[in-house]
Amino acid sequence: MLQLLWTVPALPAAGFVVLALLNRRLSRRAAALIGAGFVGLSAVVAMLIAVSFIASPPPGHAYHQVLWTWFDTGGLRPQIAFYLDAMSVIFILVITVVGFLIHLYSTEFMERDEGFTRFFMYMNLFVASMLVLVLADNLLLLYLGWEGVGLCSYLLIAFWQKDVKNVYAGRKAFIITRVGDTALIVGLFLLFTQLHTLEIQPLMAGAAKNWATGSGVAVAAAALLLGGAVGKSAQLPLQTWLPDAMAGPTPVSALIHAATMVTAGVYLIARTNVLFTLAPDVRLAVAIIGTVTLLYACFSALAQHDIKRVLAYSTMSQIGYMFLALGVAGWSAAIFHFMTHAFFKALLFLAAGVVIEALGGEHDIFKMGGLRRKLPVAFWAFIIGAASLSALPLITDGFYSKDLIIETSLGAVDGNAWLWLGALAGSLLTSIYAFRLVFVVFFGDQQTPVTLRPRWRMQLPLVVLSVLSVVGGLVWLPGWMGGFHPLETFLDTALPVTQTVASSFAYTGVSALLTSLVAVVGVALATVWLVESRAALKDFAARPTPHALQEFWLHGWGFDWLYEHVFVIPVKWFARVSRNDLVEPAVSGIAWLNVQAWRALSASQNGLLRVYIGVAGVGLAIIVAFVVLR
Amino acid sequence: MAAVSLDHGLILAAILFVIGFVGLLTRRNLIVVLACIEIMLNAAGLAFVVAGARWGRADGQVMFLFVLAMAAAEVAVGLALAIRFRHSLGRLDVDDADEMKG
């Protein structure tokens, strides 16, 4: 069964090729069938592989499949080869299953859009690239998937390309993630020059053997990889592209946030955990970036009034939690949160998509309201998703993973109280903004009439993801709930065990109690502010200080403004003043010379046959004379 | 019958070739241009025959037959071209066909 591993990324790639070749000749029905079908097949194969992997683990708990040698030059000999271990099993399962549900949903969501085939073409390529990324056995192949994901995000964010705003958003995502990618590729160069291979397992073994903990080269390599991860996963300071990426169709946002793209950074750090273990300073930076980002994003989310931007900031903050977990060496906890987050974030986005479609493309939450009776499925899906996002205790999957991260942030050897407090505060804010969304969108008075109701292809993914969002966390229960943790046991075959202080305050149960408490308090606060005393809240928000603060958070703490003034405007200015420098005449001189030569040559083409013959005769005479008289 | 010397034959061929070539360069009537090409072809044929006679070989005359056949084909195509030319441009002036000028 494991031999079929190559088909997991190959099937969506095949879907892309078929759709690209037949593009305009396909009916919508056929395009939908091919687009969703290939990803669905890939999901089936991934599930079979997972079952066979768990039932009879391959030797060493890892399966290595070499397809062919990519190229062989100058000592660099990367192979097209896949590496499957417990971590990649989780990733391919989530990517293909959630990816398939999103594809199924899109077949109805995109029904009336132009470029239906093109949409599925990009989506399939997106899924294929992400699968290559998580299955690659060497960093170069991983980088191929990494860039493929970047390309597809650009194509899909700018999918509705007739509105120039969308195109700018796509370009922004591409350029900002490129900053991180540059760091990543430099990191790969560094690793290759130092250890002479890019194959991940030998590379990690080599790094562990040759580099001392905290040595300069290990720190540099880890920091460069972190740069790539920060860009792709939209963490501070490269986070500004993610809210604007909401310009794409809603299923694209779901795919970017849940299954592909933003979790690539988490994967990269977990995959190269040896390097990060060797560089404790960089790991501390990972934890701090994660904590700061999660708080930053929570505050920003509180002030947004575009439903998708709230969700975008919530993704940023949940990825922040994953980074926090990675930073304190809670590798498995991060993967667990990746999994639960994929379920509830896809659910939230797809439910939001139903609302947006039903109201004819309305994004502003204050123009929604009172939708709980009109759109019951979306309402319940959204409630479950929001509860999971806020980590409401026991009944949601988000609770188990977030609680684990919060406990680890204090109880791990590298954890500390500041990280723990930050994570708890983030959890409180998360439940406030999540339920703010629920109350504003689904309760109160109806503002916009419902014009469209979802049919089964949009409802089924919601139902499936709702179920997963409830039961998904039960694979890793905390110690005080009986300690049933098959996922941990499974991931321990691939990732190092987190070193914890067993006597820590984190494991007394008080931390879990606090986590539950802040989530409930957050929901209660949202209820009080938005249902009981909404008028008072409005009055408060109209005062100068809260209003200014809200504006500040609404614009993401002014990061766009800052980057505009620090980078964009100086670069534009420099481009303008260097327009007439010394190089310019030289370059345009070459162009001028070419134009003159073109003029002269085209003048000789006067169209008169007699002149041509004359010139040919003279040329012949010269050649004959030359040959005879030589 | 006095044999024509090689030199005389070749000089005559050269004179004929130059007459044809000059006609090609100076005349604008398409029919005359075709006739000039014909003269040049025959100049080349004459050179073959004279050279064949000089060495007593039949090759020169065989080549001349080829030249004749080719000239016939060329005239067929050329005259058809002239008719189309006249049809589309209304005259037979080769300088009218200068649409390809740069």
Side-chain angles (χ1 to χ4, degrees), chain A residues 233-312:
Chain A
S233 291
Q235 299 292 294
L236 281 169
L238 296 177
Q239 84 291 13
T240 55
W241 65 272
L242 193 66
D244 286 1
M246 294 299 105
T250 310
V252 172
S253 311
L255 197 63
I256 287 181
H257 289 234
T260 58
M261 183 90 183
V262 294
T263 50
V266 177
Y267 174 82
L268 180 70
I269 294 180
R271 182 52 88 201
T272 55
N273 60 66
V274 175
L275 287 179
F276 285 84
T277 311
L278 288 175
D281 294 342
V282 179
R283 227 179 49 227
L284 182 65
V286 175
I288 291 171
I289 287 174
T291 315
V292 173
T293 307
L294 81 88
L295 288 170
Y296 159 85
C298 283
F299 282 114
S300 301
L302 276 173
Q304 304 300 315
H305 39 65
D306 179 325
I307 185 169
K308 286 178 70 184
R309 285 179 88 94
V310 178
L311 295 178

Side-chain angles (χ1 to χ4, degrees), chain A residues 602-603 605-618 620, chain B residues 17 21 24-28 33 94-102:
Chain A
S602 68
Q605 300 290 312
N606 56 7
L608 293 180
L609 191 62
R610 297 182 297 136
V611 176
Y612 296 171
I613 295 170
V615 172
V618 171
L620 185 70
Chain B
F17 191 88
F21 190 67
L24 198 62
L25 292 185
T26 52
R27 301 305 295 264
R28 294 163 63 180
V33 168
V94 287
D95 285 0
D96 284 354
D98 63 351
E99 282 172 23
M100 297 287 277
K101 71 178 167 201

Side-chain angles (χ1 to χ4, degrees), chain A residues 21-359:
Chain A
L21 290 180
L22 299 179
N23 201 342
R24 281 169 203 288
R25 262 164 281 174
L26 284 173
S27 65
R28 281 173 180 246
R29 209 185 156 77
L33 207 65
I34 294 170
F38 274 98
V39 179
L41 276 180
S42 171
V44 170
V45 176
M47 279 190 257
L48 290 174
I49 284 174
V51 167
S52 121
F53 190 94
I54 293 165
S56 54
H61 293 279
Y63 176 70
H64 193 210
Q65 184 174 41
V66 180
L67 296 179
W68 69 84
T69 300
W70 191 356
F71 56 81
D72 185 356
T73 173
L76 179 61
R77 196 166 177 280
Q79 287 169 323
I80 302 287
F82 297 133
Y83 180 83
L84 187 76
D85 64 2
M87 180 164 71
S88 17
V89 167
I90 302 289
F91 266 89
I92 61 169
L93 269 184
V94 170
I95 293 165
T96 54
V97 172
V98 176
F100 169 67
L101 291 172
I102 294 169
H103 274 75
L104 180 65
Y105 177 95
S106 311
T107 57
E108 186 180 325
F109 187 89
M110 299 300 291
E111 227 167 27
R112 286 166 304 280
D113 282 281
E114 273 177 58
F116 188 76
T117 315
R118 187 164 60 93
F119 180 80
F120 279 101
M121 192 170 108
Y122 297 160
M123 293 279 274
N124 278 9
L125 187 62
F126 209 162
V127 172
S129 307
M130 190 66 190
L131 287 167
V132 168
L133 198 166
V134 300
L135 284 173
D137 92 318
N138 60 70
L139 286 174
L140 203 63
L141 188 58
L142 182 145
Y143 190 75
L144 177 75
W146 187 274
E147 292 296 339
V149 166
L151 170 70
C152 293
S153 69
Y154 162 73
L155 292 171
L156 283 166
I157 292 167
F159 180 74
W160 285 320
Q161 84 280 34
K162 286 185 182 157
D163 187 347
V164 75
K165 276 211 311 267
N166 299 338
V167 179
Y168 283 142
R171 211 191 280 173
K172 187 174 175 185
F174 196 70
I175 292 170
I176 292 183
T177 53
R178 195 69 0 156
V179 176
D181 295 354
T182 310
L184 175 59
I185 193 80
V186 174
L188 297 199
F189 294 153
L190 178 68
L191 287 172
F192 184 72
T193 51
Q194 294 295 320
L195 298 169
H196 312 294
T197 178
L198 282 178
E199 228 178 299
I200 294 171
Q201 303 308 322
L203 189 69
M204 292 302 125
K209 205 173 83 195
N210 299 326
W211 294 349
T213 303
S215 61
V217 64
V219 170
L224 287 167
L225 294 191
L226 172 64
V230 161
K232 210 55 130 194
S233 291
Q235 299 292 294
L236 281 169
L238 296 177
Q239 84 291 13
T240 55
W241 65 272
L242 193 66
D244 286 1
M246 294 299 105
T250 310
V252 172
S253 311
L255 197 63
I256 287 181
H257 289 234
T260 58
M261 183 90 183
V262 294
T263 50
V266 177
Y267 174 82
L268 180 70
I269 294 180
R271 182 52 88 201
T272 55
N273 60 66
V274 175
L275 287 179
F276 285 84
T277 311
L278 288 175
D281 294 342
V282 179
R283 227 179 49 227
L284 182 65
V286 175
I288 291 171
I289 287 174
T291 315
V292 173
T293 307
L294 81 88
L295 288 170
Y296 159 85
C298 283
F299 282 114
S300 301
L302 276 173
Q304 304 300 315
H305 39 65
D306 179 325
I307 185 169
K308 286 178 70 184
R309 285 179 88 94
V310 178
L311 295 178
Y313 278 111
S314 81
T315 301
M316 203 187 281
S317 91
Q318 298 310 305
I319 305 277
Y321 275 104
M322 294 178 214
F323 268 61
L324 167 59
L326 295 170
V328 296
W331 317 109
S332 309
I335 304 303
F336 185 31
H337 196 55
F338 152 74
M339 188 183 89
T340 58
H341 172 255
F343 297 149
F344 67 72
K345 188 50 56 69
L347 177 65
L348 281 169
F349 265 114
L350 297 187
V354 171
V355 173
I356 291 168
E357 277 280 278
L359 302 182

Side-chain angles (χ1 to χ4, degrees), chain A residues 490-556:
Chain A
F490 185 52
L491 282 174
D492 280 349
T493 62
L495 292 166
V497 179
T498 310
Q499 300 297 319
T500 54
V501 183
S503 60
S504 164
F505 172 71
Y507 300 105
T508 53
V510 180
S511 172
L513 199 65
L514 279 174
T515 309
S516 318
L517 201 66
V518 291
V520 176
V521 167
V523 177
L525 283 177
T527 321
V528 170
W529 286 338
L530 287 154
V531 182
E532 301 293 320
S533 55
R534 195 148 167 196
L537 184 69
K538 249 185 203 151
D539 288 345
F540 177 71
R543 282 192 224 161
T545 318
H547 183 75
L549 205 55
Q550 191 188 8
E551 282 295 306
F552 182 56
W553 288 342
L554 176 65
H555 296 105

